[in-house]
Amino acid sequence: MTAVNRPSGEVATLLVLLRRPEDTQRPEKDHEPAPPGGPVLSALDAQVLEGVASGESTVQLASRLYLSRQGIEYRVGQMLRRFDAPNRPALVARAHALGMFAVGQWPPRVLPERVK
């Protein structure tokens, strides 16, 4: 568990990383290889997914990526359908379960082999 602090030093949230029991017996790696046939995202969609995973709002993402709010909502909506997720937290959970993110990194980063 890791504490995520605000600039004032106050704890904003706690980040907990969970592993399946079979993962604890394997040596640590920087990241697992992408399973064949897994989803591949455009560079922009990867940036949007990383922002969603790190908790950025639609407005924050739009400002950082120089897109409109509607553009962000469109891309998030497309990913929700593609990953068959009902909401943003479920989208992040599904992406993590599919091995989209590098292990042990904050903020979350989509693996390079998952970006076309």
Side-chain angles (χ1 to χ4, degrees):
M1 179 167 43
T2 302
V4 178
N5 296 326
R6 291 192 169 96
S8 65
E10 175 187 7
V11 174
T13 190
L14 297 174
L15 175 65
V16 179
L17 297 174
L18 302 175
R19 296 176 194 228
R20 295 183 304 265
E22 63 269 15
D23 288 345
T24 59
Q25 297 173 359
R26 293 190 292 175
E28 274 297 311
K29 298 180 183 176
D30 289 337
H31 63 271
E32 295 291 324
V40 177
L41 301 175
S42 69
L44 183 56
D45 283 341
Q47 288 180 307
V48 170
L49 181 59
E50 290 168 354
V52 169
S54 65
E56 288 183 74
S57 70
T58 298
V59 172
Q60 290 169 324
L61 275 168
S63 176
R64 183 170 60 83
L65 299 175
Y66 302 104
L67 295 172
S68 67
R69 287 180 298 120
Q70 294 84 0
I72 296 295
E73 288 297 335
Y74 173 79
R75 294 214 172 256
V76 170
Q78 291 291 332
M79 282 190 281
L80 289 172
R81 284 185 285 284
R82 184 173 179 190
F83 286 81
D84 193 27
N87 53 41
R88 288 176 179 216
L91 171 64
V92 173
R94 298 248 169 99
H96 176 70
L98 290 168
M100 301 287 294
F101 297 116
V103 176
Q105 273 194 341
W106 188 262
R109 293 290 171 240
V110 174
L111 294 170
E113 56 266 23
R114 297 294 194 170
V115 180
K116 61 177 172 178

